[in-house]
mmCIF file of all heavy atoms in Angstrom:
data_model
loop_
_atom_site.group_PDB
_atom_site.id
_atom_site.type_symbol
_atom_site.label_atom_id
_atom_site.label_comp_id
_atom_site.label_asym_id
_atom_site.label_seq_id
_atom_site.Cartn_x
_atom_site.Cartn_y
_atom_site.Cartn_z
ATOM 1 N N ALA A 60 -95.331 39.122 -18.699
ATOM 2 C CA ALA A 60 -96.430 39.758 -19.446
ATOM 3 C C ALA A 60 -95.955 40.200 -20.817
ATOM 4 O O ALA A 60 -96.718 40.029 -21.802
ATOM 5 C CB ALA A 60 -96.968 40.957 -18.646
ATOM 6 N N ASP A 61 -94.748 40.750 -20.916
ATOM 7 C CA ASP A 61 -94.253 41.160 -22.240
ATOM 8 C C ASP A 61 -94.093 39.956 -23.158
ATOM 9 O O ASP A 61 -94.371 40.050 -24.383
ATOM 10 C CB ASP A 61 -92.900 41.870 -22.082
ATOM 11 C CG ASP A 61 -93.055 43.236 -21.432
ATOM 12 O OD1 ASP A 61 -94.178 43.747 -21.380
ATOM 13 O OD2 ASP A 61 -92.004 43.825 -20.993
ATOM 14 N N LEU A 62 -93.601 38.844 -22.639
ATOM 15 C CA LEU A 62 -93.419 37.653 -23.424
ATOM 16 C C LEU A 62 -94.777 37.089 -23.900
ATOM 17 O O LEU A 62 -94.954 36.749 -25.083
ATOM 18 C CB LEU A 62 -92.717 36.514 -22.628
ATOM 19 C CG LEU A 62 -91.176 36.767 -22.475
ATOM 20 C CD1 LEU A 62 -90.625 35.772 -21.486
ATOM 21 C CD2 LEU A 62 -90.475 36.609 -23.840
ATOM 22 N N ARG A 63 -95.757 37.056 -22.999
ATOM 23 C CA ARG A 63 -97.113 36.579 -23.386
ATOM 24 C C ARG A 63 -97.690 37.450 -24.505
ATOM 25 O O ARG A 63 -98.254 36.959 -25.499
ATOM 26 C CB ARG A 63 -98.022 36.561 -22.156
ATOM 27 C CG ARG A 63 -97.726 35.448 -21.169
ATOM 28 C CD ARG A 63 -98.853 35.247 -20.207
ATOM 29 N NE ARG A 63 -99.061 36.410 -19.307
ATOM 30 C CZ ARG A 63 -98.469 36.582 -18.159
ATOM 31 N NH1 ARG A 63 -97.590 35.708 -17.678
ATOM 32 N NH2 ARG A 63 -98.715 37.676 -17.429
ATOM 33 N N THR A 64 -97.570 38.769 -24.323
ATOM 34 C CA THR A 64 -98.117 39.669 -25.320
ATOM 35 C C THR A 64 -97.501 39.437 -26.686
ATOM 36 O O THR A 64 -98.187 39.371 -27.711
ATOM 37 C CB THR A 64 -97.845 41.161 -24.900
ATOM 38 O OG1 THR A 64 -98.535 41.413 -23.679
ATOM 39 C CG2 THR A 64 -98.297 42.139 -25.956
ATOM 40 N N SER A 65 -96.153 39.251 -26.695
ATOM 41 C CA SER A 65 -95.427 39.045 -27.909
ATOM 42 C C SER A 65 -95.922 37.751 -28.612
ATOM 43 O O SER A 65 -96.117 37.698 -29.821
ATOM 44 C CB SER A 65 -93.957 38.946 -27.627
ATOM 45 O OG SER A 65 -93.207 38.525 -28.752
ATOM 46 N N ILE A 66 -96.093 36.683 -27.824
ATOM 47 C CA ILE A 66 -96.526 35.380 -28.341
ATOM 48 C C ILE A 66 -97.904 35.488 -28.926
ATOM 49 O O ILE A 66 -98.172 35.005 -30.041
ATOM 50 C CB ILE A 66 -96.473 34.319 -27.243
ATOM 51 C CG1 ILE A 66 -94.997 34.026 -26.852
ATOM 52 C CG2 ILE A 66 -97.172 33.049 -27.666
ATOM 53 C CD1 ILE A 66 -94.846 33.265 -25.533
ATOM 54 N N TRP A 67 -98.855 36.079 -28.237
ATOM 55 C CA TRP A 67 -100.202 36.145 -28.705
ATOM 56 C C TRP A 67 -100.318 36.990 -29.962
ATOM 57 O O TRP A 67 -100.973 36.621 -30.921
ATOM 58 C CB TRP A 67 -101.127 36.729 -27.616
ATOM 59 C CG TRP A 67 -101.340 35.829 -26.455
ATOM 60 C CD1 TRP A 67 -101.462 34.481 -26.508
ATOM 61 C CD2 TRP A 67 -101.499 36.212 -25.085
ATOM 62 N NE1 TRP A 67 -101.673 33.965 -25.236
ATOM 63 C CE2 TRP A 67 -101.752 35.005 -24.357
ATOM 64 C CE3 TRP A 67 -101.531 37.410 -24.388
ATOM 65 C CZ2 TRP A 67 -101.922 35.010 -22.966
ATOM 66 C CZ3 TRP A 67 -101.690 37.449 -23.032
ATOM 67 C CH2 TRP A 67 -101.924 36.247 -22.350
ATOM 68 N N LYS A 68 -99.589 38.114 -30.000
ATOM 69 C CA LYS A 68 -99.614 38.977 -31.181
ATOM 70 C C LYS A 68 -98.982 38.315 -32.373
ATOM 71 O O LYS A 68 -99.392 38.498 -33.526
ATOM 72 C CB LYS A 68 -99.004 40.336 -30.841
ATOM 73 C CG LYS A 68 -99.804 41.206 -29.945
ATOM 74 C CD LYS A 68 -99.239 42.575 -29.791
ATOM 75 C CE LYS A 68 -100.218 43.507 -29.042
ATOM 76 N NZ LYS A 68 -99.672 44.863 -28.881
ATOM 77 N N GLN A 69 -97.901 37.554 -32.107
ATOM 78 C CA GLN A 69 -97.227 36.842 -33.176
ATOM 79 C C GLN A 69 -98.192 35.804 -33.844
ATOM 80 O O GLN A 69 -98.245 35.737 -35.065
ATOM 81 C CB GLN A 69 -95.983 36.089 -32.639
ATOM 82 C CG GLN A 69 -95.237 35.325 -33.687
ATOM 83 C CD GLN A 69 -94.110 34.486 -33.040
ATOM 84 O OE1 GLN A 69 -93.975 34.407 -31.812
ATOM 85 N NE2 GLN A 69 -93.322 33.870 -33.854
ATOM 86 N N MET A 70 -98.920 35.050 -33.006
ATOM 87 C CA MET A 70 -99.827 34.066 -33.605
ATOM 88 C C MET A 70 -101.009 34.763 -34.292
ATOM 89 O O MET A 70 -101.424 34.308 -35.379
ATOM 90 C CB MET A 70 -100.356 33.157 -32.482
ATOM 91 C CG MET A 70 -99.321 32.201 -31.951
ATOM 92 S SD MET A 70 -100.032 30.869 -30.965
ATOM 93 C CE MET A 70 -98.914 30.849 -29.605
ATOM 94 N N ALA A 71 -101.539 35.810 -33.701
ATOM 95 C CA ALA A 71 -102.636 36.512 -34.339
ATOM 96 C C ALA A 71 -102.173 37.115 -35.670
ATOM 97 O O ALA A 71 -102.884 37.035 -36.672
ATOM 98 C CB ALA A 71 -103.167 37.624 -33.402
ATOM 99 N N GLY A 72 -100.970 37.702 -35.695
ATOM 100 C CA GLY A 72 -100.438 38.281 -36.918
ATOM 101 C C GLY A 72 -100.222 37.243 -38.004
ATOM 102 O O GLY A 72 -100.265 37.565 -39.204
ATOM 103 N N ALA A 73 -99.934 35.994 -37.635
ATOM 104 C CA ALA A 73 -99.692 34.944 -38.575
ATOM 105 C C ALA A 73 -100.993 34.300 -39.084
ATOM 106 O O ALA A 73 -100.973 33.453 -39.962
ATOM 107 C CB ALA A 73 -98.796 33.847 -37.959
ATOM 108 N N GLY A 74 -102.093 34.740 -38.540
ATOM 109 C CA GLY A 74 -103.425 34.255 -39.006
ATOM 110 C C GLY A 74 -103.926 33.051 -38.280
ATOM 111 O O GLY A 74 -104.899 32.419 -38.749
ATOM 112 N N ILE A 75 -103.329 32.671 -37.151
ATOM 113 C CA ILE A 75 -103.823 31.498 -36.374
ATOM 114 C C ILE A 75 -105.186 31.875 -35.740
ATOM 115 O O ILE A 75 -105.341 32.921 -35.111
ATOM 116 C CB ILE A 75 -102.821 31.105 -35.288
ATOM 117 C CG1 ILE A 75 -101.450 30.779 -35.933
ATOM 118 C CG2 ILE A 75 -103.352 29.947 -34.456
ATOM 119 C CD1 ILE A 75 -101.432 29.630 -36.859
ATOM 120 N N LYS A 76 -106.183 30.991 -35.945
ATOM 121 C CA LYS A 76 -107.494 31.242 -35.386
ATOM 122 C C LYS A 76 -107.583 30.840 -33.915
ATOM 123 O O LYS A 76 -108.128 31.597 -33.106
ATOM 124 C CB LYS A 76 -108.572 30.517 -36.195
ATOM 125 C CG LYS A 76 -109.970 30.775 -35.658
ATOM 126 C CD LYS A 76 -111.046 30.109 -36.552
ATOM 127 C CE LYS A 76 -112.431 30.433 -35.970
ATOM 128 N NZ LYS A 76 -113.508 29.792 -36.790
ATOM 129 N N TYR A 77 -107.142 29.649 -33.580
ATOM 130 C CA TYR A 77 -107.269 29.110 -32.238
ATOM 131 C C TYR A 77 -105.939 29.267 -31.519
ATOM 132 O O TYR A 77 -105.018 28.422 -31.664
ATOM 133 C CB TYR A 77 -107.755 27.668 -32.256
ATOM 134 C CG TYR A 77 -109.107 27.470 -32.903
ATOM 135 C CD1 TYR A 77 -109.217 26.851 -34.128
ATOM 136 C CD2 TYR A 77 -110.263 27.944 -32.325
ATOM 137 C CE1 TYR A 77 -110.476 26.692 -34.721
ATOM 138 C CE2 TYR A 77 -111.506 27.825 -32.882
ATOM 139 C CZ TYR A 77 -111.607 27.177 -34.097
ATOM 140 O OH TYR A 77 -112.831 27.026 -34.694
ATOM 141 N N ILE A 78 -105.810 30.365 -30.783
ATOM 142 C CA ILE A 78 -104.561 30.714 -30.110
ATOM 143 C C ILE A 78 -104.648 30.314 -28.643
ATOM 144 O O ILE A 78 -105.631 30.683 -27.953
ATOM 145 C CB ILE A 78 -104.298 32.208 -30.248
ATOM 146 C CG1 ILE A 78 -104.105 32.618 -31.708
ATOM 147 C CG2 ILE A 78 -103.087 32.682 -29.400
ATOM 148 C CD1 ILE A 78 -104.077 34.118 -31.949
ATOM 149 N N PRO A 79 -103.666 29.574 -28.102
ATOM 150 C CA PRO A 79 -103.791 29.115 -26.709
ATOM 151 C C PRO A 79 -103.435 30.185 -25.717
ATOM 152 O O PRO A 79 -102.557 31.027 -25.951
ATOM 153 C CB PRO A 79 -102.789 27.954 -26.659
ATOM 154 C CG PRO A 79 -101.703 28.315 -27.669
ATOM 155 C CD PRO A 79 -102.469 29.067 -28.791
ATOM 156 N N SER A 80 -104.075 30.149 -24.548
ATOM 157 C CA SER A 80 -103.600 30.941 -23.404
ATOM 158 C C SER A 80 -103.509 29.958 -22.203
ATOM 159 O O SER A 80 -103.985 28.839 -22.266
ATOM 160 C CB SER A 80 -104.539 32.068 -23.049
ATOM 161 O OG SER A 80 -105.861 31.584 -22.739
ATOM 162 N N ASN A 81 -102.825 30.429 -21.156
ATOM 163 C CA ASN A 81 -102.547 29.580 -19.936
ATOM 164 C C ASN A 81 -101.573 28.438 -20.299
ATOM 165 O O ASN A 81 -101.458 27.508 -19.568
ATOM 166 C CB ASN A 81 -103.789 29.041 -19.333
ATOM 167 C CG ASN A 81 -103.539 28.538 -17.892
ATOM 168 O OD1 ASN A 81 -102.831 29.210 -17.155
ATOM 169 N ND2 ASN A 81 -104.078 27.412 -17.544
ATOM 170 N N THR A 82 -100.812 28.584 -21.425
ATOM 171 C CA THR A 82 -99.692 27.625 -21.626
ATOM 172 C C THR A 82 -98.389 28.252 -21.155
ATOM 173 O O THR A 82 -97.382 27.544 -21.143
ATOM 174 C CB THR A 82 -99.600 27.281 -23.108
ATOM 175 O OG1 THR A 82 -99.400 28.444 -23.904
ATOM 176 C CG2 THR A 82 -100.860 26.541 -23.627
ATOM 177 N N PHE A 83 -98.417 29.517 -20.819
ATOM 178 C CA PHE A 83 -97.248 30.177 -20.243
ATOM 179 C C PHE A 83 -97.133 29.672 -18.811
ATOM 180 O O PHE A 83 -98.115 29.488 -18.077
ATOM 181 C CB PHE A 83 -97.416 31.691 -20.240
ATOM 182 C CG PHE A 83 -96.193 32.416 -19.715
ATOM 183 C CD1 PHE A 83 -95.174 32.793 -20.602
ATOM 184 C CD2 PHE A 83 -96.069 32.711 -18.399
ATOM 185 C CE1 PHE A 83 -94.050 33.443 -20.136
ATOM 186 C CE2 PHE A 83 -94.943 33.359 -17.903
ATOM 187 C CZ PHE A 83 -93.940 33.737 -18.784
ATOM 188 N N SER A 84 -95.902 29.438 -18.291
ATOM 189 C CA SER A 84 -95.740 29.029 -16.937
ATOM 190 C C SER A 84 -94.427 29.511 -16.371
ATOM 191 O O SER A 84 -93.426 29.632 -17.081
ATOM 192 C CB SER A 84 -95.772 27.473 -16.854
ATOM 193 O OG SER A 84 -95.546 27.024 -15.581
ATOM 194 N N TYR A 85 -94.402 29.773 -15.071
ATOM 195 C CA TYR A 85 -93.157 30.160 -14.392
ATOM 196 C C TYR A 85 -92.329 28.929 -14.045
ATOM 197 O O TYR A 85 -91.140 29.056 -13.752
ATOM 198 C CB TYR A 85 -93.464 30.967 -13.131
ATOM 199 C CG TYR A 85 -93.994 32.326 -13.367
ATOM 200 C CD1 TYR A 85 -95.307 32.629 -13.196
ATOM 201 C CD2 TYR A 85 -93.118 33.369 -13.779
ATOM 202 C CE1 TYR A 85 -95.809 33.901 -13.446
ATOM 203 C CE2 TYR A 85 -93.579 34.652 -14.002
ATOM 204 C CZ TYR A 85 -94.965 34.896 -13.844
ATOM 205 O OH TYR A 85 -95.454 36.164 -14.072
ATOM 206 N N TYR A 86 -92.905 27.761 -14.101
ATOM 207 C CA TYR A 86 -92.152 26.539 -13.863
ATOM 208 C C TYR A 86 -92.640 25.379 -14.750
ATOM 209 O O TYR A 86 -91.953 25.011 -15.694
ATOM 210 C CB TYR A 86 -92.155 26.106 -12.397
ATOM 211 C CG TYR A 86 -90.864 25.475 -11.919
ATOM 212 C CD1 TYR A 86 -89.838 26.301 -11.505
ATOM 213 C CD2 TYR A 86 -90.641 24.129 -11.999
ATOM 214 C CE1 TYR A 86 -88.601 25.762 -11.118
ATOM 215 C CE2 TYR A 86 -89.385 23.563 -11.611
ATOM 216 C CZ TYR A 86 -88.399 24.379 -11.192
ATOM 217 O OH TYR A 86 -87.180 23.887 -10.832
#
Side-chain angles (χ1 to χ4, degrees):
D61 288 347
L62 284 170
R63 287 193 296 269
T64 298
S65 171
I66 290 165
W67 289 326
K68 287 188 171 179
Q69 180 186 6
M70 288 195 225
I75 302 298
K76 180 175 180 181
Y77 299 111
I78 296 170
S80 60
N81 198 41
T82 58
F83 184 90
S84 178
Y85 289 103
Y86 216 86

